[in-house]
Amino acid sequence: MDDKIIRNKELNIYEALLPVLVLVGMLAYNVFVYGDDALSGSNQFILLLGGAVAAIVGFLNKVTYKKMIEEVANNIKSTTGALLILLFVGALAGTWLISGVIPTMIFYGLKLLNPTIFLPATVVICAVISIATGSSWTTSATVGIALIGIGGALGIPLGMVAGAVLSGAYFGDKMSPLSDTTNLAPAMAGTDLFTHIRYMAYTTVPTISVTLVVFIILGFTFDTTGTADTEAILTSIGESFNISGWLFLVPAAVILLIIRKTQPLIALLIGTLLGGAFAIIFQPEVVMQVAGAEQLDFKAAYQGIMNAITVDTSIETSNTELNDLFSSGGMYGMLGTIWLIICAMVFGGVMDAIGALSTISEALLKMAHTVFGLFASTVATCLALNVTASDQYLALVVPGKMFKKAYEDRNLAPENLSRTLEDSGTVTSVLVPWNTCGAYQSGVLGVSVYDYFIYAIFNWLSPFMTLLFAGFQIKIKQLSTKETV
């Protein structure tokens, strides 16, 4: 890590915090105006405006324009790997869709459904689908809606079903390498994707385990009569794709590469190419559909695979509810997140250049006398931004840039920060009614945040779990040593 801490004795804590407070205020209003569309570009521009406010503070404190631009360039350079990984994640999602890998995961996930264990099965199904797609939003908008209907027919309170859906969906979203937040958090903290995922498992696995146990116990409190009819969905998937267990070889190969600590870009490239090859073998009709061709020849195969990798791809099925699920943005679909990261790096670069981040970090370190205090400050900031700025991405970006120096000063590895950002920023966004995630999920599932809040066990338990690990110094990795246990 080549980041150096830039200090500016001319800058006081109030001047250092001014750009952050202005940024949060502007972001909060922008999300209020644009709602879910705020990420289409307006939030990105607000981050640039926040950088402009920081630059003005810098000029008033004798920091040159050249120094600010140099630090912005260094910041953007530091995210090169993350940006490339995001592009490859989009490519991977495209070929895994048309090859049938993602549909096969969903197919077998739905097969797990059993009325006697409906609630824990719902958690597992949504977790599997969300890991496969990298999207909690898509999971809840498709299979989640179906599960809400099934749960209602079985007489289970809808708030309880929605809590199970969201617990599983956000577990998958959090742990999937296809998820934008899972890529964004390590990019902000300064670690790599797969190190982040492996390190997150320490807190995430116990959290989802407790969640499952609670839902198993809750399941025994209801006499679920009737059947959970998923045949229509399974039939539709089977009509559109050739479902085969052999397709699990593709994700298995990528998982093996990750376990063997292969470089992320190499693992993702191999996964993308394998997905393309399996698409030609197992899903020739789907490849023709994506290519817009009437027969599968070399040109159609090439065009179908390239379209899946690079641009929006959607597979039409006989079930309209599944059409949103069987769509991918390819590399193009990742440009919004890349845009957000670049603009966040501009804001963070200027803040760093004027010495604001070091000033804030020093103030935080003075207040946080222990490692637990630093983790608690991070959690509190993420929660506060989810409430005030109303967006989970901003709850990762702003604290990520603000606390990065503080963790370095404490000799803590960056994956400590990235894990804490996800444990407190990503998953709690759905618990705030006016947050984009809370508003979306409650609208899609038809269940208010107030009704599912207590049952979204995984979501509210995650920040407590990360604080528990910090408090007892469990799996707290340091920069100079392997690990503190």
Side-chain angles (χ1 to χ4, degrees), residues 55-384:
I56 292 172
V57 173
F59 289 138
L60 295 175
N61 285 275
K62 304 175 183 178
V63 181
T64 65
Y65 175 81
K66 180 181 178 181
K67 184 175 183 179
M68 294 183 206
I69 291 297
E70 285 177 352
E71 200 56 37
V72 167
N74 289 334
N75 254 22
I76 294 176
K77 181 181 178 181
S78 70
T79 63
T80 301
L83 299 181
L84 290 173
I85 284 174
L86 276 171
L87 289 175
F88 273 101
V89 164
L92 184 88
T95 61
W96 281 23
L97 171 63
I98 67 168
S99 66
V101 170
I102 291 174
T104 296
M105 288 182 175
I106 294 171
F107 184 88
Y108 286 110
L110 288 173
K111 283 277 191 181
L112 293 172
L113 198 62
N114 186 313
T116 59
I117 54 168
F118 177 79
L119 289 171
T122 294
V123 175
V124 172
I125 289 166
C126 291
V128 169
I129 294 172
S130 192
I131 287 174
T133 61
S135 173
S136 57
W137 284 33
T138 303
T139 299
S140 59
T142 51
V143 177
I145 292 174
L147 291 168
I148 287 287
I150 295 167
L154 294 174
I156 300 174
L158 295 187
M160 198 174 288
V161 181
V165 168
L166 294 173
S167 291
Y170 275 84
F171 167 81
D173 192 330
K174 184 182 173 190
M175 295 300 290
S176 174
L178 303 180
S179 168
D180 46 10
T181 56
T182 309
N183 282 272
L184 184 59
M188 292 299 100
T191 187
D192 68 86
L193 174 63
F194 293 132
T195 298
H196 168 61
I197 291 175
R198 285 194 297 267
Y199 201 65
M200 262 201 307
Y202 292 128
T203 56
T204 304
V205 171
T207 305
I208 196 65
S209 298
V210 172
T211 300
L212 282 169
V213 169
V214 172
F215 277 114
I216 289 171
I217 294 171
L218 287 174
F220 287 123
T221 64
F222 293 94
D223 180 19
T224 53
T225 57
T227 59
D229 184 16
T230 58
E231 286 304 314
I233 296 176
L234 293 173
T235 300
S236 183
I237 295 174
E239 289 173 349
S240 302
F241 296 91
N242 295 316
I243 303 300
S244 171
W246 291 107
L247 290 167
F248 283 107
L249 289 174
V250 179
V254 175
I255 291 170
L256 180 62
L257 289 170
I258 294 170
I259 292 172
R260 295 179 65 86
K261 298 186 178 180
T262 304
Q263 289 296 322
L265 286 174
I266 297 173
L268 292 172
L269 174 59
I270 292 173
T272 300
L273 296 177
L274 282 175
F278 274 58
I280 296 171
I281 297 169
F282 287 92
Q283 318 293 341
E285 293 181 356
V286 174
V287 175
M288 287 190 293
Q289 179 183 332
V290 174
E294 295 182 357
Q295 62 180 10
L296 187 65
D297 52 20
F298 180 80
K299 179 182 177 182
Y302 175 81
Q303 192 171 6
I305 300 301
M306 287 300 291
N307 284 350
I309 288 173
T310 56
V311 296
D312 290 328
T313 302
S314 182
I315 309 301
E316 297 294 324
T317 71
S318 58
N319 189 321
T320 55
E321 292 179 353
L322 287 175
N323 291 340
D324 286 339
L325 189 60
F326 294 147
S327 62
S328 169
M331 296 170 78
Y332 174 78
M334 288 296 173
L335 294 182
T337 303
I338 290 172
W339 187 8
L340 180 72
I341 290 175
I342 291 173
C343 292
M345 291 300 104
V346 172
F347 173 75
V350 177
M351 286 286 286
D352 201 4
I354 68 174
L357 292 182
S358 64
T359 301
I360 293 171
S361 296
E362 287 171 3
L364 289 170
L365 286 173
K366 288 178 182 177
M367 291 189 295
H369 300 292
T370 63
V371 169
F372 176 80
L374 183 57
F375 276 72
S377 298
T378 309
V379 170
T381 304
C382 291
L383 295 176

Side-chain angles (χ1 to χ4, degrees), residues 428-452:
T428 60
S429 56
V430 74
L431 303 177
V432 181
W434 53 87
N435 189 287
T436 51
C437 292
Y440 172 84
Q441 299 289 7
S442 62
V444 164
L445 297 176
V447 181
S448 73
V449 174
Y450 304 103
D451 286 334
Y452 70 62

